[in-house]
Amino acid sequence: MIFRIFTLIIFCFCSSLFSQEKSISELESELLTIEDSEQKIKVLEKLWQKTTYENETEAIKYATRSIELAKTISNKKLLAKAYEQLGISHSNISNYKISNKNYKKAIVLQEKLGNTNRIGNILINKGINFKDIGQLDSALHYLEKAKGYLKAINTKQDSSLLAKYYGIKANFLMSKAFYTLALENATKAAKLSKELGDILRYADNLQIIADANESLGNKDISIDYFKESLAIYQKENDTYFEADVSIKIGFLYSNLKPIEIDSATYYYKRATNLAHKIDVPSLKSRALIDHAKLLIKINKFVKAKLLLDESKIVAEKINDTFGLSDIYLNKGLINLRTNNLNKAKEDIEKAFILKQKMGLLSGITEATKNLAIIEFKKGNFKEAYKLQKEFKILSDSIYKKEKVIKFDELQVQFDTQKKESEIALQKEEIKTLNAQAENDKLTKTLYSIGMISFLTIAGLLYFGFKQRIKKNKIEREKQEEIYKQEIAFKKKELASQTLHLVQKNTFIQELKENLEKIKKSPELFKVEFRRLVMLLKKESAEDKDWEVFKSYFSEVHNDFDNKIRAIASDITEKEIRLASFLRMNLSTKEIASMLNVLPDSVLKSKYRLKKKLTLNKEANLTQFLNTL
């Protein structure tokens, strides 16, 4: 949302964007008295500006009227503006296909007008649409395409546009789960914004830094950055983003362990009041929904339902499809928890349809899981089994996608570091050769008379020296290429082995749970049950896969176990295994699955490992291990 709003602000008619000179009713009356079409379009622009983000149905109506009038007078400039307005409004209510069609029409007209900067900003908005529907490669494609139109970025003469580019790229990389790269770009954007004195853009980039830290598991650091940006928005009277950041801080407090209920409640209520104050329904709906989710977590279902009912009224008013899908999903969850199964099924099916319409895979997965539980509780075991299979396929798809993304980020980081090393080496060689050339020039000047033979010998020696450098360089490049290929292969094998371990142990754990359920029915597997459980336990305890993983890991991360033993000589093999999984940036849940223990056990083991490594309380264990 940050960059969609920013793009709207820099819209070429932004000088009157938040004008309070006339009310909507006054502008409507003025519209009736005007005969000139161009003047009518200008009034319609003001009406659109006052209604977008608040009442998109009305905003769409005004943009459509502008298009019709601009066509009648064949004004390409005004027509392009109107198409862009319509694209923004449809995007705000998640009608992304219609939004992109209007953006495309606006781009065609702006190309004819030669307005490249405007095209660049429309392409950014189009990229944001693809990001919102999860098509992240397309989103990054349009961002890079936009960069080609923003000439100042290409020449690096305008720090403001460069800051904008880094910020939006960081935002997109966040969506692609490239959190480390997103953090790097957001940090660059924040630094440039601060140097330029663009305090609001600086606050926007602090939010992305906070989001990246949250995704990397640094929740305390994330809260600090969010609070810093919140203080700026409050000081600058930017109430919209003050409310937006309050929701995010409330969400973080809701997901801490243990949950900080009072802090989360305070920020959700603050966000709701601010959104009501500035009359922004979309923000109010978000705050109410997230607050309701917190209440569901702590089993306060009556209060949660009241908040969801209130948010439903707001979401329906502004046609917020995403918000409605969340509302129905959480209302269904409340009814499921309170055993109102028919109503739960009705609500969750509505959520499923909306999530499917928007292509939200995680939402579809959650809805499918809950529908399976409902059918199981109703005794419809055949339907429950069918839905459970669908849920398994969907969750596996998400899991594999996350693993591929994580491996891709590691590969990108490796390639980037390798490229930087090569550039540094080339610069050093150039510097050395330049210094040598200066020395040669000085020598020729001082000994030019009577030293022709000496210079000839020196020239031959220099030529031989250069030849040796060239030969050594070629040999070094060959070795580096071989090394690069070996590392890439080993990284792929390591990622593959890690995925195998996680899937294997997850399967075993699930199968155990199913067998335990079967145990409750004496007529099933009376003879086979004990033998199967013992066989699975034996299979789960096998260390063969760990040894394979360890061999790949040691090849990719040289002497990792020796380095960690040098710090803590009394460290155990199990603790080295835990450290290796953390070095691979696996989550607590994934590690618990691989070690066949509960997530709480992993957290305790992490605490003990941190203590053995003599790290202080504030230190980040994963970041420390990544330095070894």
Side-chain angles (χ1 to χ4, degrees):
M1 179 65 78
I2 288 174
F3 294 105
R4 183 178 290 112
I5 290 175
F6 173 78
T7 307
L8 176 61
I9 290 171
I10 65 171
F11 206 71
C12 53
F13 48 78
C14 64
S15 58
S16 62
L17 182 59
F18 297 113
S19 172
Q20 298 298 323
E21 292 177 0
K22 293 182 181 179
S23 66
I24 292 175
S25 58
E26 288 173 330
L27 289 169
E28 286 277 14
S29 299
E30 182 182 343
L31 194 63
L32 297 173
T33 64
I34 298 172
E35 295 295 331
D36 183 72
S37 294
E38 285 192 17
Q39 292 300 317
K40 277 190 174 185
I41 292 172
K42 288 180 181 178
V43 175
L44 286 167
E45 282 180 8
K46 292 178 182 178
L47 285 164
W48 175 81
Q49 293 156 9
K50 285 180 177 292
T51 52
T52 194
Y53 294 106
E54 296 180 18
N55 187 339
E56 295 300 347
T57 302
E58 288 298 302
I60 288 169
K61 182 182 76 174
Y62 294 131
T64 303
R65 287 179 66 185
S66 292
I67 289 170
E68 292 169 354
L69 284 171
K71 283 181 177 179
T72 60
I73 59 174
S74 301
N75 190 316
K76 292 180 181 178
K77 184 177 179 180
L78 293 177
L79 184 59
K81 281 185 183 180
Y83 276 128
E84 188 173 352
Q85 291 169 8
L86 192 57
I88 290 170
S89 291
H90 277 293
S91 177
N92 289 342
I93 56 175
S94 305
N95 290 336
Y96 298 117
K97 287 185 179 179
I98 299 174
S99 172
N100 284 337
K101 284 181 181 178
N102 284 284
Y103 284 150
K104 185 176 180 180
K105 291 177 182 177
I107 289 169
V108 170
L109 290 168
Q110 294 291 9
E111 283 178 341
K112 291 179 181 178
L113 294 167
N115 195 349
T116 54
N117 269 3
R118 191 73 252 140
I119 295 170
N121 282 285
I122 297 170
L123 286 168
I124 288 172
N125 264 4
K126 197 170 181 180
I128 292 170
N129 279 351
F130 281 104
K131 177 185 76 68
D132 287 347
I133 59 176
Q135 295 182 18
L136 304 175
D137 289 331
S138 295
L140 283 168
H141 164 74
Y142 281 104
L143 177 61
E144 292 305 314
K145 192 174 180 181
K147 180 182 175 184
Y149 283 92
L150 299 172
K151 293 181 179 179
I153 292 176
N154 290 335
T155 56
K156 296 187 178 180
Q157 291 175 350
D158 191 326
S159 296
S160 178
L161 282 174
L162 191 61
K164 173 188 171 185
Y165 169 74
Y166 280 130
I168 296 173
K169 187 171 183 180
N171 189 265
F172 283 10
L173 287 167
M174 278 294 299
S175 302
K176 201 169 172 59
F178 282 11
Y179 304 125
T180 305
L181 295 174
L183 186 58
E184 290 174 6
N185 280 273
T187 303
K188 289 178 184 177
K191 183 181 177 182
L192 284 169
S193 300
K194 194 172 184 180
E195 289 171 354
L196 291 163
D198 190 346
I199 194 67
L200 287 174
R201 180 86 63 80
Y202 174 64
D204 292 345
N205 289 310
L206 287 177
Q207 281 202 63
I208 305 175
I209 292 171
D211 285 329
N213 274 293
E214 179 192 353
S215 299
L216 291 168
N218 308 323
K219 291 186 179 179
D220 290 335
I221 296 174
S222 178
I223 289 173
D224 289 340
Y225 276 110
F226 274 133
K227 285 184 176 178
E228 186 181 349
S229 69
L230 180 66
I232 294 171
Y233 292 133
Q234 188 176 12
K235 183 180 178 181
E236 298 293 321
N237 294 317
D238 193 335
T239 312
Y240 181 95
F241 283 113
E242 187 183 347
D244 179 64
V245 175
S246 294
I247 295 171
K248 292 178 178 179
I249 296 173
F251 177 82
L252 275 170
Y253 278 126
S254 297
N255 287 278
L256 289 178
K257 291 182 180 180
I259 297 172
E260 294 195 17
I261 298 169
D262 292 339
S263 296
T265 302
Y266 166 77
Y267 281 102
Y268 283 142
K269 286 184 176 179
R270 178 178 179 177
T272 304
N273 292 333
L274 288 169
H276 181 74
K277 177 183 174 182
I278 59 175
D279 193 23
V280 179
S282 57
L283 269 180
K284 185 177 180 181
S285 177
R286 275 179 56 209
L288 290 168
I289 292 168
D290 281 4
H291 193 178
K293 288 178 182 178
L294 169 64
L295 293 172
I296 292 170
K297 280 185 179 181
I298 58 177
N299 298 323
K300 292 187 177 181
F301 300 131
V302 175
K303 288 184 179 180
K305 189 175 183 302
L306 289 173
L307 292 179
L308 289 172
D309 288 339
E310 185 180 353
S311 64
K312 185 171 179 285
I313 294 169
V314 177
E316 286 178 338
K317 182 181 177 182
I318 60 173
N319 294 320
D320 181 6
T321 308
F322 183 87
L324 283 169
S325 70
D326 257 8
I327 290 164
Y328 282 123
L329 191 62
N330 284 284
K331 288 183 77 172
L333 188 58
I334 291 172
N335 286 315
L336 176 57
R337 296 268 187 89
T338 55
N339 286 316
N340 188 355
L341 300 181
N342 289 331
K343 183 60 179 169
K345 182 178 179 181
E346 180 185 337
D347 287 332
I348 293 172
E349 282 180 342
K350 288 178 181 178
F352 180 88
I353 291 168
L354 292 173
K355 298 283 187 187
Q356 195 173 49
K357 180 182 177 182
M358 291 182 288
L360 301 174
L361 183 58
S362 60
I364 295 168
T365 305
E366 188 177 354
T368 305
K369 178 185 73 174
N370 289 329
L371 287 171
I373 294 170
I374 291 168
E375 294 299 339
F376 182 83
K377 284 191 171 186
K378 291 174 74 173
N380 300 329
F381 301 119
K382 186 176 180 181
E383 183 64 20
Y385 176 71
K386 178 185 174 184
L387 288 166
Q388 181 64 24
K389 281 181 68 178
E390 290 177 9
F391 164 70
K392 180 66 177 171
I393 292 168
L394 289 167
S395 59
D396 284 349
S397 176
I398 292 173
Y399 175 79
K400 288 176 182 176
K401 186 177 180 180
E402 288 173 349
K403 282 297 166 191
V404 169
I405 288 170
K406 186 174 286 186
F407 180 76
D408 285 347
E409 182 177 18
L410 288 171
Q411 188 64 49
V412 169
Q413 286 178 299
F414 174 79
D415 291 342
T416 302
Q417 290 168 359
K418 179 69 175 174
K419 187 175 181 181
E420 288 173 351
S421 298
E422 288 175 351
I423 291 170
L425 182 63
Q426 288 172 358
K427 285 182 178 179
E428 191 61 35
E429 287 178 351
I430 290 169
K431 186 178 177 181
T432 302
L433 290 172
N434 285 337
Q436 183 68 40
E438 286 296 322
N439 289 334
D440 288 346
K441 184 177 179 182
L442 181 61
T443 301
K444 289 176 183 178
T445 302
L446 294 173
Y447 298 100
S448 58
I449 300 174
M451 296 296 292
I452 295 174
S453 58
F454 173 78
L455 291 173
T456 302
I457 295 169
L460 290 170
L461 290 172
Y462 177 67
F463 175 77
F465 175 69
K466 285 195 70 174
Q467 287 297 107
R468 286 197 298 274
I469 289 176
K470 184 177 179 181
K471 183 179 179 181
N472 291 339
K473 184 179 177 183
I474 292 169
E475 187 64 29
R476 184 172 62 253
E477 286 175 351
K478 287 180 181 179
Q479 291 298 323
E480 285 177 353
E481 184 62 29
I482 293 169
Y483 174 73
K484 180 179 176 182
Q485 291 173 0
E486 288 177 351
I487 288 294
F489 172 76
K490 289 170 183 176
K491 277 183 175 289
K492 289 178 182 178
E493 291 294 334
L494 176 57
S496 174
Q497 187 63 25
T498 305
L499 179 60
H500 170 68
L501 281 169
V502 174
Q503 289 176 335
K504 171 190 170 186
N505 284 281
T506 301
F507 168 76
I508 292 170
Q509 187 60 35
E510 288 179 0
L511 194 53
K512 282 182 187 177
E513 290 172 1
N514 289 333
L515 288 171
E516 291 292 345
K517 291 177 184 177
I518 294 170
K519 187 178 179 183
K520 295 176 183 179
S521 301
E523 66 276 7
L524 298 174
F525 300 98
K526 289 181 180 179
V527 178
E528 296 295 323
F529 175 75
R530 186 182 299 274
R531 184 179 66 81
L532 288 172
V533 172
M534 288 180 67
L535 181 61
L536 286 171
K537 284 181 179 179
K538 180 181 176 183
E539 177 66 19
S540 180
E542 284 286 339
D543 285 330
K544 181 179 177 182
D545 288 329
W546 159 246
E547 291 301 327
V548 176
F549 171 87
K550 185 177 177 183
S551 67
Y552 283 124
F553 186 87
S554 62
E555 289 178 350
V556 175
H557 304 285
N558 293 331
D559 295 326
F560 179 78
D561 53 347
N562 291 333
K563 288 176 183 177
I564 202 167
R565 281 195 177 96
I567 299 170
S569 58
D570 59 339
I571 195 166
T572 66
E573 184 68 19
K574 287 185 177 179
E575 287 169 334
I576 289 176
R577 185 180 302 193
L578 172 61
S580 300
F581 292 151
L582 290 171
R583 183 70 174 79
M584 286 292 294
N585 291 322
L586 297 182
S587 68
T588 299
K589 185 178 178 182
E590 291 169 337
I591 294 171
S593 174
M594 293 175 75
L595 298 178
N596 198 26
V597 296
L598 293 173
D600 284 346
S601 297
V602 176
L603 293 174
K604 290 175 183 176
S605 298
K606 285 169 71 176
Y607 174 77
R608 287 194 293 271
L609 176 59
K610 194 173 182 181
K611 195 171 181 181
K612 276 195 178 182
L613 295 174
T614 65
L615 297 177
N616 59 40
K617 187 177 180 181
E618 291 74 22
N620 186 292
L621 179 58
T622 303
Q623 286 182 354
F624 173 77
L625 293 172
N626 285 336
T627 63
L628 297 181

